[in-house]
């Protein structure tokens, strides 16, 4: 299969984020076409549906369908919101989209607003990438000056205002209703659903929240047509997708490939394993996705359906690669601490359970685990799953359940022998400071 | 309590939201205040709450929820190192250990001269650039080898 990036294509050089460069790459042609030919909002949504574009933020919900939920005729304000609060360990694609191709996101949001009848939008950017927030503000200024934003866009009758908003260090704000609370100037605690944002979103108004990469894909879909976009991937998994590869590979970085590309090819693009070491396991969709052992992963293709069949999820496309020097107890302990730190504290099972998971994993790692600790971990994880307002509870439980399922022997060895199966010196050698070839 | 420039920046943030939704600017306003003063004292948070026009407790809730806000004084240079799994696989822990040894402090400590504070961070969304650290919340430094850490500290000491 030919690999032909869309969003990350032609991004060499340090001015690719400028409006002029984006236009030279064919930018804003999709928006011009819609305004000039007066393509109806319904026709835009139909194109999105035909593209089989699925949300790139983690849940993989069909974008065209999501857009069709907004009651366009409903009087009053409606909002589109872009979720660039990228903080799931392993995920770093939205940062590069916003750094090198912010206008693709802006154009996608304008088209989304047009299709859903929204008059105002916000892009919520992860606080830790503040430099990217500043750049996005500059890109917005360029778009306003070129009459691509504001009143009567490109001389048509559609008007839309777009602004940047930033977080300041809270993973949970990547959850869409927590994100909306955060834009309202509150603690980022997820809302109980229903009502869903499509009917009761930002400031209580109909709101659609999509991921950065989802919006960035929209101009390409309008330009090439929904069906052509779908055919880049496979049915139900349309288009290209950016995968963020981190961990024990030679060239960590972002790679945009056609959905359905074999994992082995993606691994090769990322330079393969370091120092000729053997692949041990992969977390294919960000830290919340269940871990997949090497042999199963090598048979997977990179698309929503194949990864789901392997018992995990494609999530945001964050591929964390671990080689044979990795201690799975230590890896899981680190993830467990993250979820404990980041639990917003609203739901008891998550607030208490994540701490419990971390403390038990920590004592196993320290060599003072108890014989029934694995049962305890399974029980605590099971009592978090499905018992919280948002998906963060499941996100915390999933890794624990999958690590223990696939690497039970390593956990048992750790408890019985009070040390790692992988000798510490080996682990240390495998996780030295490694600066991959930047790409 | 804040410079004219900071207040103007806050005004620009407030203008992004509907006029009856000034509270939406609270994160930005606290960020701007922290950048000027170094950390958020109780008085500063109350001042910001008054400026925005929300109860002090509403501002306090936000300041204490988002972990890039410092509710206690920090050194002139706050360095936050990511040690989460993807970074740890590529030397995040080693980079943190080196910083601890070089600065003679642990996480959440400040050097006696008040120059450096070291923090352990969670995912910054830049795992491909590991090891990654943040300087004073806003400058991201990636691919941090020992040599680059030495260089960075030397540059900061000169400032």
């Amino acid at each position: 299969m030919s690999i032909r990036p869309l969003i990350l294509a032609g991004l060499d050089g340090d001015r690719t984020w400028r409006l002029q460069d984006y236009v030279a790459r064919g930018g804003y042609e999709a928006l011009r076409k819609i305004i000039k030919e007066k393509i109806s909002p319904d026709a835009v949504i139909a194109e999105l549906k035909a593209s089989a574009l699925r949300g790139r933020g983690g849940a993989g919900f069909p974008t065209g369908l999501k857009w069709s939920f907004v009651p366009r005729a409903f009087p009053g304000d409606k909002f589109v919101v872009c979720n660039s609060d990228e903080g799931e360990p392993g995920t770093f694609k939205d940062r590069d989209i916003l750094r090198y191709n912010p206008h693709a996101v802006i154009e996608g949001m304008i088209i989304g607003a047009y299709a859903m009848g929204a008059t105002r939008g916000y892009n919520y950017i992860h606080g830790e990438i503040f430099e990217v927030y500043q750049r996005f503000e500059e890109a917005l200024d360029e778009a306003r000056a070129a009459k691509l934003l504001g009143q009567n866009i490109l001389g048509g009758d559609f008007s839309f205002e777009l602004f940047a908003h930033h977080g300041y260090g809270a993973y949970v704000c990547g959850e869409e209703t927590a994100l909306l609370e955060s834009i309202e100037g509150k603690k980022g605690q997820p809302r109980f659903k229903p009502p869903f944002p499509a009917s009761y979103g930002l400031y209580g108004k109909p709101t659609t929240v999509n991921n950065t990469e989802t919006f960035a894909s929209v101009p390409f879909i309008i330009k090439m047509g929904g069906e052509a976009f779908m055919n880049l991937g496979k049915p139900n998994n349309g288009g290209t997708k950016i995968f963020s590869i981190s961990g024990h590979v030679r060239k960590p970085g972002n790679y945009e490939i056609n959905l359905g590309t074999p994992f082995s090819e993606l691994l090769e693009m990322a330079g393969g394993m370091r120092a000729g070491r053997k692949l041990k396991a992969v977390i294919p969709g960000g830290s919340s996705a269940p871990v997949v052992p090497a042999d199963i992963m090598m048979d997977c293709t990179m698309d929503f359906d194949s990864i789901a069949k392997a018992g995990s999820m494609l999530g945001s496309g964050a591929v964390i690669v671990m080689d044979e020097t990795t201690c799975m107890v230590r890896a899981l302990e680190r993830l467990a601490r993250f979820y404990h730190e980041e639990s917003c504290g609203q739901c008891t099972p998550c607030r208490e359970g994540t701490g419990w998971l971390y403390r038990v994993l920590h004592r196993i790692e320290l060599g003072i685990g108890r014989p029934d600790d694995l049962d305890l971990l399974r029980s605590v994880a099971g009592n978090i799953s499905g018992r919280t307002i948002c998906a963060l509870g499941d996100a915390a439980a999933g890794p624990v359940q999958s690590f223990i399922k696939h690497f039970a022997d390593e956990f048992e060895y750790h408890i019985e022998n009070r040390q790692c199966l992988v000798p510490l010196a080996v682990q240390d050698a495998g996780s030295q400071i490694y600066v991959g070839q930047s790409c | 309590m804040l410079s004219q420039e900071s207040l103007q920046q806050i005004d620009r943030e407030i203008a992004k939201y509907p006029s009856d939704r000034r509270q939406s600017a609270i994160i930005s306003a606290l960020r701007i205040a922290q950048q000027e003063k170094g950390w958020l004292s109780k008085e500063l948070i109350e001042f910001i709450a008054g400026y925005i026009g929300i109860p002090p407790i509403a501002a306090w809730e936000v300041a204490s929820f988002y972990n890039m806000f410092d509710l206690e004084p920090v050194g002139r240079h706050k360095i936050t190192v990511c040690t989460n799994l993807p970074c740890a696989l590529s030397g995040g822990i080693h980079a943190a250990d080196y910083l601890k040894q070089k600065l003679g402090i642990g996480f959440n400590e400040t050097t006696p001269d008040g120059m450096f504070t070291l923090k352990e961070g969670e995912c910054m969304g830049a795992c491909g650039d590991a090891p990654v650290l943040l300087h004073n919340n806003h400058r991201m430094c990636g691919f941090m080898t020992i040599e680059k850490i030495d260089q960075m500290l030397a540059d900061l000491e000169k400032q």
Side-chain angles (χ1 to χ4, degrees):
Chain A
M1 192 186 284
S2 70
I3 306 280
R4 194 167 63 98
L6 298 174
I7 299 169
L8 298 183
L11 299 185
D12 300 320
D14 54 8
R15 295 182 51 84
T16 64
W17 65 277
R18 291 284 185 190
L19 174 62
Q20 200 184 349
D21 274 43
Y22 181 61
V23 170
R25 293 196 300 275
Y28 290 105
E29 274 173 20
L31 179 66
R32 282 179 201 282
K33 185 178 164 187
I34 290 170
I35 302 285
K36 198 172 145 211
E37 297 175 16
K38 296 194 182 342
I39 297 174
S40 74
D42 282 329
V44 171
I45 292 179
E47 215 59 61
L48 262 286
K49 283 184 177 168
S51 75
L53 173 67
R54 291 172 62 171
R56 302 305 197 217
F61 193 81
T63 307
L65 189 60
K66 193 177 204 177
W67 287 15
S68 70
F69 290 156
V70 175
R72 200 187 308 129
F74 188 81
D77 289 333
K78 285 176 279 297
F79 296 97
V80 289
V81 172
C82 179
N83 185 345
S84 301
D85 192 33
E86 181 178 56
E88 165 106 351
T91 314
F92 49 91
K93 64 189 176 62
D94 299 338
R95 171 175 176 241
D96 274 2
I97 298 172
L98 293 172
R99 273 202 294 182
Y100 304 126
N101 207 0
H103 282 286
V105 180
I106 296 173
E107 187 180 5
M109 289 189 75
I110 301 170
I111 294 171
Y114 173 82
M116 292 177 277
T119 50
R120 197 180 259 262
Y122 292 96
N123 184 11
Y124 188 106
I125 299 173
H126 195 47
E128 284 84 343
I129 53 170
F130 193 76
E131 291 150 310
V132 175
Y133 167 80
Q134 289 171 313
R135 174 170 290 187
F136 192 77
E137 293 252 68
E138 278 191 64
L140 285 176
D141 283 341
E142 287 184 322
R144 286 184 196 117
K147 304 243 177 290
L148 294 158
L149 283 173
Q151 291 297 310
N152 301 99
I153 289 172
L154 294 172
D157 16 324
F158 174 62
S159 301
F160 175 63
E161 301 281 359
L162 179 58
F163 302 95
H165 180 106
H166 68 78
Y168 224 54
Y171 165 70
V172 69
C173 289
E175 198 277 343
E176 63 176 5
T177 59
L179 183 148
L180 296 176
E181 288 284 300
S182 185
I183 297 182
E184 292 183 5
K186 302 171 190 161
K187 291 182 288 185
Q189 290 191 321
R191 297 174 183 171
F192 199 80
K193 288 173 279 191
F196 290 94
S199 55
Y200 190 94
L202 182 61
Y203 308 132
K205 305 288 184 189
T207 302
T208 299
V209 185
N210 280 127
N211 169 256
T212 319
E213 187 185 355
T214 310
F215 278 122
S217 303
V218 171
F220 297 98
I221 292 170
I222 300 299
K223 267 196 297 187
M224 70 167 56
E227 203 181 325
F229 183 84
M230 186 197 77
N231 287 332
L232 291 175
K234 56 193 238 190
N236 198 34
N237 296 265
T240 58
K241 164 96 190 78
I242 300 172
F243 289 93
S244 307
I245 308 190
S246 63
H248 290 139
V249 292
R250 284 202 188 91
K251 293 193 289 179
N254 284 313
Y255 298 89
E256 185 178 359
I257 58 172
N258 306 58
L259 279 174
T261 303
F263 170 72
S264 56
E265 270 182 49
L266 180 61
L267 187 58
E268 214 170 288
M269 288 174 80
M273 304 302 293
R274 282 182 209 158
R277 294 197 188 104
K278 249 177 71 187
L279 179 68
K280 182 171 187 173
V282 174
I283 302 177
S287 61
S288 312
V291 67
V292 180
D295 53 335
I296 302 177
M297 198 62 212
M298 289 307 278
D299 289 335
C300 285
T301 57
M302 298 308 288
D303 55 83
F304 292 96
D305 296 340
S306 170
I307 301 294
K309 227 171 115 188
S312 186
M313 56 185 198
L314 195 72
S316 54
V319 182
I320 306 172
V321 177
M322 292 174 277
D323 71 19
E324 56 194 327
T325 68
T326 313
C327 167
M328 299 313 268
V329 178
R330 196 172 177 193
L332 181 61
E333 180 217 21
R334 186 61 189 87
L335 290 180
R337 196 173 89 211
F338 169 73
Y339 287 107
H340 175 45
E341 286 279 323
E342 296 297 330
S343 174
C344 79
Q346 186 173 211
C347 310
T348 308
C350 175
R351 182 185 65 242
E352 302 302 321
T354 51
W356 211 344
L357 291 175
Y358 171 63
R359 288 189 298 275
V360 173
L361 283 162
H362 188 58
R363 74 179 178 221
I364 298 176
E365 174 61 20
L366 283 180
I368 48 173
R370 302 166 193 169
D372 55 357
D373 271 354
L374 289 191
D375 284 337
L376 181 59
L377 286 170
R378 287 192 195 99
S379 159
V380 174
N383 279 310
I384 300 174
S385 279
R387 291 186 166 88
T388 54
I389 287 174
C390 83
L392 200 138
D394 291 339
V400 173
Q401 288 157 332
S402 64
F403 269 73
I404 295 178
K405 178 179 163 199
H406 291 297
F407 299 96
D409 51 341
E410 219 172 299
F411 285 82
E412 282 159 8
Y413 183 95
H414 225 300
I415 293 170
E416 272 168 39
N417 297 279
R418 306 190 173 280
Q419 59 177 333
C420 290
L421 185 61
V422 182
L424 279 176
V426 173
Q427 287 183 47
D428 201 47
S431 62
Q432 286 294 323
I433 293 179
Y434 180 93
V435 173
Q437 301 156 36
S438 181
C439 41
Chain B
M1 196 151 198
L2 280 180
S3 69
Q4 214 44 44
E5 197 195 331
S6 290
L7 293 177
Q8 279 168 3
Q9 282 183 37
I10 294 174
D11 290 342
R12 276 202 293 277
E13 295 297 330
I14 292 172
K16 291 178 178 177
Y17 308 95
S19 54
D20 58 341
R21 302 287 181 178
R22 291 169 61 97
Q23 182 167 352
S24 286
I26 184 67
I27 293 183
S28 284
L30 290 170
R31 180 254 306 166
I32 292 161
Q34 176 167 291
Q35 282 304 109
E36 184 183 323
K37 299 291 185 188
W39 65 288
L40 296 176
S41 63
K42 187 167 162 274
E43 293 73 26
L44 188 55
I45 293 170
E46 281 174 7
F47 170 80
I48 293 293
Y51 192 81
I52 301 269
I54 58 174
I57 185 66
W60 178 259
E61 273 192 349
V62 168
S64 57
F65 185 84
Y66 297 88
N67 63 31
M68 288 165 73
F69 289 123
D70 292 306
L71 304 180
E72 282 166 20
V74 290
R76 253 175 79 191
H77 304 290
K78 182 174 87 164
I79 296 171
T80 313
V81 195
C82 180
T83 58
N84 210 311
L85 178 62
C87 272
L89 297 174
S90 289
I93 307 277
H94 290 268
D97 285 346
Y98 182 72
L99 275 161
K100 284 182 197 165
Q101 175 221 322
K102 179 115 181 169
L103 297 173
I105 52 175
F107 285 133
N108 300 316
E109 289 177 5
T110 300
T111 52
D113 59 2
M115 277 291 273
F116 294 100
T117 297
L118 198 56
K119 293 259 178 187
E120 187 170 30
E122 291 300 347
C123 188
M124 296 162 189
C127 324
D129 298 0
V132 175
L133 51 87
L134 273 184
H135 169 240
N136 283 350
N137 295 325
H138 292 176
R139 188 164 66 99
M140 185 171 286
C141 310
F143 307 108
M144 295 308 282
T145 56
I146 298 296
E147 296 74 38
K148 283 182 76 176
I149 292 174
D150 283 341
Q151 185 63 52
M152 181 193 75
L153 293 179
D155 290 347
L156 293 178
E157 258 162 20
K158 275 185 229 147
Q159 278 179 25

